Amino acid sequence: MLALKGVRSLLRDVGTVRLSAVAHAALFSSCKACRAVDQTSWQQEAPMQHFGVMEFVEPHTPKSVRRTPWVHNPSEVDILSWPIHEPKHLSRRIMIARTNAMAAMLDPAAAPAAMDTFLRYLGYWSEKHQDKFNPIASSLALLSLARLATRPEVPASHQNKALSAAAVMLKHFMSRAPRANQHSTANVFWACARLRLRPDDLQPGFEDKLAQCFIATAHDATPQGISNVLWSCSTLQMNPLNGGLLATIVALLKTWQSDSFNGASNMQSLAVVMTAFATMRLHIDASVAELLLRKFYEGTLQGADEPQGLSNLLWACASLGFCPPHHMTCQFMHSYRTSQQPYLVQHETIILYSLAVFGALTTEYFKDTLHKLHGQQLDPPSVSQLYIALQALRPLDSESPTHKDWLQMAHSVQQQWPLTTDPLGKQSPFELKIYSTLLNMGYEAITTFDSDDGLHFIDIALLPQKKLPCKVAIEADGISHFLYEDYRLQNAPHPATRQDGRTLFRNSVLRKQGWVVLTVPWYEWHGLVTQEQKILYLKRKLKQIVNEYRQASKPAM
């Protein structure tokens, strides 16, 4: 109620003063917030009526142009009758229409009608004022569609209509793309990803054209713009190598070395950039990863509170096999534990998984997190991350007190969140071919072998036998176990051949449990055509690991 009185008092003081776009947006947002908090008092006070006597103007605008009224929920006849002489007039109409639609959607029941109205406006303007859709206006229309259509209260039928309208707006943008500025181009990338609209699906070559627009104005790129572009590429699986886009972005990232770049005010962008590399399974240069981590670290030292960005950043590091320095990890955990922001359950399991991969997870921290998660419902990815973290804590000595403590934790986890996947249903043709080849070679092989703790199943296990003095874990690693040196394309010049963080962690856990790990990468196995080639390949691999095992087992002189 106090906030509502404050807004009413401000509106009374403002009167008929001309306000800038930013001032109007801020004032309008305050009114919407009051309406959301106290609907009854809002209806009694009705402060929004004051918007009917104000005007929407921008600084340094000629007086002759200052005639656009800022009216809350104007009639369709009124808003469509406002003159549009220049592209900037159209941009203002789109902003007003979007703001009115968002205000109407405060009532979920009114969302379909509000979406229909906004789409009708865009359709009318596209037909009558197509020549006014410059890159700024068309990108603003795309941005508005992305923000409105993806709201939860908008039904799927209207989202499909919005997608059709977005395709028209994207064509408007592309027709004048060479004149686009950096901000508009980054917004188009973001809007397409939010709407799940791949530009090349609309017309081949659009994605390369968008990349060229961004590259041409890269000198004006902002951290948010860079993160929007990378996030869009990862979301839509667009090739960031188009026209040298990735090389341009990496060069821009390296300019963040400057002390003038404030990590505290760009925490979300830093996390999104790192996460995009991990989502695309794209190897990141060590110098770039170190830079992103250092700037995020500096932000936490300055008191920036970004738990979601932090959990995403750590997950990305773990996925890419990049371990932060110990002092950074400690600071990150301090920042996460002292955060005043609300946390999500998946953040907790992501943190556990990441610390496990880094080798920084402690039993005390795991127990503390279990206490927080008690009684919570976890989705399958979160359960999987919890089990991976549990594997990392398994003591080597099964007779030690710490092992008994670990067994209690494992029992508690398995009781509350049992694994719902069937390991026997996961055998791929790749694994079966290796398994049948080993049988033909005379080995006693076991598929989907339980690694003694019920937490991890080995693809193919060879226990000590006449031909083997040690137990061997054979992992058939498909393409999902590797990072791309360039990008995720089957015909890429540099395919996925670098092991990712999850695979490196799995191998280290198995070695700690006494297994000799033999990985069969997809790109090596697929190059073997005949059965004789496959047998020779496995013989050579097994001979190599046996020799290494015997060498390591020799007593020191």
Side-chain angles (χ1 to χ4, degrees):
M1 189 65 185
L2 290 176
L4 182 58
K5 290 180 179 179
V7 171
R8 184 184 61 196
S9 174
L10 178 60
L11 288 170
R12 187 185 303 114
D13 293 339
V14 168
T16 57
V17 173
R18 299 176 187 272
L19 298 181
S20 69
V22 175
H24 253 112
L27 193 57
F28 194 62
S29 297
S30 300
C31 291
K32 289 197 297 180
C34 289
R35 177 182 181 185
V37 171
D38 193 339
Q39 183 72 28
T40 303
S41 299
W42 171 266
Q43 293 173 348
Q44 292 173 353
E45 302 292 340
M48 195 63 79
Q49 63 184 334
H50 290 269
F51 279 92
V53 296
M54 294 186 199
E55 292 181 341
F56 176 81
V57 297
E58 294 179 347
H60 314 299
T61 305
K63 290 183 179 180
S64 60
V65 183
R66 297 183 180 182
R67 295 175 181 173
T68 303
W70 179 276
V71 184
H72 172 61
N73 199 22
S75 68
E76 184 174 342
V77 176
D78 288 340
I79 196 170
L80 294 181
S81 66
W82 293 342
I84 297 178
H85 303 300
E86 300 177 37
K88 63 182 178 182
H89 297 161
L90 176 59
S91 297
R92 293 174 191 166
R93 305 300 182 271
I94 294 171
M95 288 175 63
I96 293 170
R98 182 183 75 190
T99 305
N100 288 334
M102 293 183 73
M105 287 181 182
L106 290 173
D107 177 9
M115 193 72 236
D116 278 334
T117 301
F118 184 79
L119 291 172
R120 191 159 50 247
Y121 290 161
L122 280 188
Y124 176 84
W125 291 326
S126 182
E127 179 182 352
K128 301 294 184 181
H129 303 285
Q130 183 175 347
D131 59 319
K132 303 299 189 300
F133 274 95
N134 67 352
I136 294 177
S138 52
S139 67
L140 183 59
L142 271 169
L143 194 67
S144 302
L145 285 167
R147 288 180 173 171
L148 292 172
T150 54
R151 292 170 68 97
E153 57 266 26
V154 175
S157 58
H158 288 68
Q159 291 174 0
N160 293 333
K161 293 179 183 177
L163 198 60
S164 300
V168 175
M169 295 301 113
L170 183 58
K171 288 181 178 179
H172 286 326
F173 180 88
M174 288 302 180
S175 66
R176 299 169 177 83
R179 296 161 48 196
N181 59 30
Q182 200 280 332
H183 183 68
S184 297
T185 305
N187 282 344
V188 170
F189 268 101
W190 182 89
C192 287
R194 189 72 183 266
L195 291 166
R196 300 301 189 269
L197 173 65
R198 276 207 65 166
D200 270 5
D201 289 345
L202 191 61
Q203 182 172 318
F206 269 8
E207 291 173 14
D208 185 63
K209 201 171 181 179
L210 264 180
Q212 292 306 315
C213 288
F214 185 87
I215 292 170
T217 56
H219 55 280
D220 292 328
T222 63
Q224 183 176 355
I226 293 172
S227 64
N228 282 348
V229 171
L230 278 177
W231 176 76
S232 302
C233 289
S234 66
T235 301
L236 295 177
Q237 297 186 13
M238 294 162 54
N239 185 354
L241 296 178
N242 278 335
L245 177 61
L246 184 62
T248 300
I249 288 176
V250 170
L252 288 170
L253 294 178
K254 290 181 179 179
T255 65
W256 294 358
Q257 292 278 8
S258 171
D259 291 336
S260 62
F261 179 84
N262 186 358
S265 59
N266 293 286
M267 301 281 275
Q268 186 176 6
S269 296
L270 291 165
V272 169
V273 168
M274 196 77 164
T275 305
F277 274 93
T279 304
M280 290 187 287
R281 306 194 59 75
L282 187 62
H283 170 65
I284 187 171
D285 184 79
S287 62
V288 176
E290 290 168 1
L291 171 62
L292 297 175
L293 280 172
R294 179 166 60 82
K295 289 298 180 180
F296 201 97
Y297 170 71
E298 291 170 359
T300 61
L301 290 178
Q302 296 174 37
D305 192 0
E306 188 65 45
Q308 180 175 350
L310 178 56
S311 66
N312 289 340
L313 183 81
L314 293 181
W315 171 83
C317 288
S319 299
L320 295 168
F322 190 85
C323 182
H326 179 70
H327 70 282
M328 286 189 182
T329 303
C330 292
Q331 172 59 27
F332 290 155
M333 297 319 302
H334 173 73
S335 174
Y336 183 77
R337 279 307 185 200
T338 57
S339 172
Q340 299 301 312
Q341 300 291 336
Y343 75 93
L344 300 177
V345 171
Q346 56 262 39
H347 292 168
E348 296 286 359
T349 55
I350 288 172
I351 295 290
L352 283 179
Y353 163 76
S354 303
L355 292 177
V357 173
F358 302 152
L361 182 62
T362 64
T363 301
E364 291 73 22
Y365 189 89
F366 188 88
K367 285 182 177 180
D368 183 44
T369 304
L370 279 187
H371 179 72
K372 288 184 176 183
L373 295 177
H374 182 73
Q376 298 277 1
Q377 293 290 329
L378 300 182
D379 56 18
S382 297
V383 173
S384 176
Q385 289 167 347
L386 194 61
Y387 275 74
I388 289 173
L390 193 57
Q391 290 177 46
L393 295 174
R394 185 176 186 267
L396 296 178
D397 185 1
S398 59
E399 301 299 327
S400 65
T402 55
H403 188 267
K404 294 179 180 178
D405 189 29
W406 179 85
L407 283 175
Q408 290 180 350
M409 286 195 306
H411 181 69
S412 174
V413 169
Q414 290 170 323
Q415 274 197 325
Q416 292 189 69
W417 305 284
L419 281 173
T420 56
T421 56
D422 179 14
L424 297 178
K426 286 189 172 182
Q427 287 178 289
S428 66
F430 182 16
E431 295 173 27
L432 292 176
K433 287 177 182 177
I434 297 173
Y435 173 69
S436 62
T437 302
L438 288 167
L439 293 181
N440 290 337
M441 294 168 64
Y443 286 98
E444 297 177 8
I446 307 171
T447 58
T448 56
F449 183 79
D450 186 345
S451 60
D452 302 328
D453 51 26
L455 303 178
H456 174 70
F457 289 86
I458 296 167
D459 289 345
I460 303 169
L462 299 178
L463 299 179
Q465 49 196 277
K466 184 178 180 180
K467 294 184 178 182
L468 281 178
C470 55
K471 59 180 184 179
V472 178
I474 300 177
E475 295 289 349
D477 288 345
I479 202 166
S480 63
H481 288 270
F482 297 88
L483 301 175
Y484 289 79
E485 297 294 329
D486 274 354
Y487 186 63
R488 179 174 40 190
L489 292 176
Q490 296 301 327
N491 58 348
H494 301 286
T497 57
R498 183 188 293 264
Q499 287 183 323
D500 63 9
R502 175 178 56 114
T503 303
L504 293 172
F505 170 73
R506 178 207 64 196
N507 293 347
S508 69
V509 170
L510 288 174
R511 290 190 183 103
K512 282 174 60 178
Q513 294 178 355
W515 291 87
V516 176
V517 181
L518 189 160
T519 59
V520 181
W522 68 274
Y523 54 88
E524 291 182 359
W525 185 260
H526 291 350
L528 306 173
V529 180
T530 65
Q531 184 69 7
E532 291 74 16
Q533 288 177 327
K534 294 174 182 178
I535 291 174
L536 287 174
Y537 172 84
L538 290 176
K539 277 184 177 179
R540 186 176 68 254
K541 282 266 190 180
L542 288 167
K543 182 179 179 181
Q544 179 184 350
I545 64 169
V546 168
N547 289 340
E548 291 174 356
Y549 172 79
R550 285 174 174 162
Q551 191 68 28
S553 302
K554 285 183 180 180
M557 298 299 292

